[in-house]
Amino acid sequence: MTRSALVVGVSGIVGNNLARQLLGQGWEVSGLARRPPSDIEGLRPVAADLLDPAALGGALRDLRPSHVFITTWMRQPTEAENIRVNAAMVRNLLDALRPGASLQHAALVTGLKHYLGPFEAYGKGTLPATPFREEQPRLDVENFYYAQEDEVFAAAGRDGFGWSVHRPHTIIGYAIGNAMNMGVTLAAYATICRETGRPFLFPGSAAQWNGLSDMTDARLLARHLEWAATTPAARNEAFNVVNGDIFRWSWMWGRIANWFGLEPAPFPGQGTPLETQLADAGPLWAEIAARHSLAEPDLSRLASAWHTDADLGRPIEVVTDMSKSRKLGFTGYQATDDAFTELFGRLRTLRIIP
């Protein structure tokens, strides 16, 4: 029987790659966003606002998905607002799907802020030991990831569907206009450095430069989401999901520099945030885009400097345990340096970077 999926947040890094993965495996796929993409062949677009329950109910009235994948969030100025808004989005979605009574599984994508804390308390206070493991308890702080989980758990208990929670590390993947997009951000930054002669300077902390880290390719995350949604042993479980390799940024920075034909600048021993380095770069990017006939002249749609600074500026080493997924049969692997260079190649092919 054909499986039918509703991918919520289909215009983002995770949703875009997930929709392509599921379509390639023969699923019927609907993609929900305020402005769904038009370049995913076979996707049924659903334009809707998760914060408008009445309109959302109308948009989903005729859909009968067997699986829903929640891959979106909306950044707010405070964690209290993050909780209010992002919990409401999940609640409204699952309420809108309830009348159809078709749902078998709901998958929620969160991340390592489950262990590190929300942006207001990011990497501060008493944190669990690394590598992070799923059985570690929630932090004693308010966190919108916890609120989203609780909405899924409550609806699943009430309506009888299964669930999975997926906690990736920093995601590498293709998307434009996304709030959390290190790969495209670093591609734009490297391009600016090459075109202007600025030093290609690691923007993060000494802990990140010297310590171990891992990341998550959006394509691997898509395979993990499909696996958990269709594997009985993975029902009602939370999972970390990373590429399977570990690295130090002192090594990875040179690999990225090399792809762009740059010499990495010596690390100065402390962070030089991208928000500072790129504060004046909007007009520079517009000039670069015009000179090379690039597809996107607006740097703000490519670079999420604030989020890259948050990830690379952490004061602790961050590595993630994947044993739970491995024991249950998920064996996916992706070399992180290849994930970066494959993304850069795609950006060049699509004329996002020269």
Side-chain angles (χ1 to χ4, degrees):
M1 186 174 67
T2 301
R3 292 173 172 138
S4 58
L6 174 62
V7 177
V8 180
V10 72
S11 59
I13 295 177
V14 178
N16 186 297
N17 284 273
L18 175 60
R20 296 176 190 275
Q21 167 70 21
L22 296 177
L23 287 164
Q25 296 300 311
W27 291 59
E28 294 178 354
V29 182
S30 300
L32 187 151
R34 282 175 292 180
R35 292 177 292 277
S38 58
D39 62 343
I40 303 179
E41 185 177 352
L43 179 74
R44 176 181 176 177
V46 179
D49 183 346
L50 293 172
L51 292 175
D52 185 340
L56 180 63
L60 298 179
R61 182 174 296 117
D62 296 328
L63 287 186
R64 297 293 183 270
S66 58
H67 295 70
V68 63
F69 299 88
I70 305 167
T71 72
T72 189
W73 72 291
M74 290 180 62
R75 187 188 183 197
Q76 302 299 314
T78 67
E79 193 60 19
E81 278 296 290
N82 275 330
I83 291 168
R84 184 186 68 80
V85 169
N86 289 285
M89 289 164 57
V90 174
R91 182 169 61 253
N92 293 342
L93 171 70
L94 296 175
D95 284 349
L97 292 173
R98 181 171 302 120
S102 62
L103 203 59
Q104 300 172 21
H105 187 93
L108 172 68
V109 179
T110 61
L112 294 196
K113 286 189 290 298
H114 183 92
Y115 309 107
L116 288 162
F119 288 117
E120 290 181 3
Y122 196 44
K124 300 174 183 177
T126 302
L127 299 175
T130 57
F132 294 140
R133 293 182 169 87
E134 294 92 342
E135 66 268 19
Q136 290 167 323
R138 291 179 174 182
L139 300 175
D140 188 21
V141 295
E142 295 296 308
N143 189 326
F144 82 86
Y145 283 173
Y146 305 161
Q148 288 182 309
E149 285 185 346
D150 289 343
E151 293 292 344
V152 171
F153 300 159
R158 180 177 57 242
D159 299 334
F161 56 80
W163 55 265
S164 57
V165 174
H166 303 255
R167 300 170 185 158
H169 199 166
T170 304
I171 297 171
I172 309 171
Y174 175 78
I176 303 301
N178 191 269
M180 300 190 298
N181 198 335
M182 182 188 286
V184 181
T185 298
L186 293 181
Y189 173 55
T191 298
I192 289 169
C193 290
R194 188 184 63 203
E195 295 284 321
T196 64
R198 294 185 180 191
F200 187 58
L201 186 63
F202 181 70
S205 67
Q208 292 298 300
W209 181 255
N210 296 312
L212 293 173
S213 191
D214 48 30
M215 294 185 73
T216 306
D217 188 296
R219 299 166 298 180
L220 181 133
L221 175 54
R223 297 196 297 273
H224 191 266
L225 282 157
E226 183 183 20
W227 166 79
T230 56
T231 300
R235 181 183 172 96
N236 297 348
E237 297 285 351
F239 296 100
N240 298 329
V241 50
V242 287
N243 287 339
D245 63 350
I246 55 175
F247 62 89
R248 301 181 198 277
W249 275 105
S250 55
W251 175 81
M252 186 66 75
W253 200 246
R255 302 285 286 181
I256 294 172
N258 182 67
W259 195 90
F260 285 93
L262 294 166
E263 284 292 328
F267 179 59
Q270 60 185 14
T272 309
L274 284 179
E275 278 203 299
T276 301
Q277 294 193 57
L278 297 178
D280 65 345
L284 287 173
W285 184 262
E287 293 172 8
I288 293 168
R291 186 162 65 250
H292 293 282
S293 300
L294 301 183
E296 180 51 71
D298 184 354
L299 182 61
S300 69
R301 286 184 48 77
L302 302 178
S304 54
W306 69 272
H307 189 264
T308 299
D309 284 340
D311 276 358
L312 296 182
R314 289 187 296 235
I316 59 171
E317 179 178 272
V318 176
V319 286
T320 315
D321 184 75
M322 274 282 285
S323 298
K324 186 175 182 180
S325 293
R326 303 298 189 218
K327 288 177 180 178
L328 294 178
F330 182 78
T331 58
Y333 169 83
Q334 170 66 55
T336 301
D337 55 336
D338 290 344
F340 272 119
T341 58
E342 289 164 13
L343 171 63
F344 299 155
R346 183 178 181 186
L347 294 174
R348 181 166 286 171
T349 297
L350 294 174
R351 305 300 301 163
I352 305 298
I353 61 174

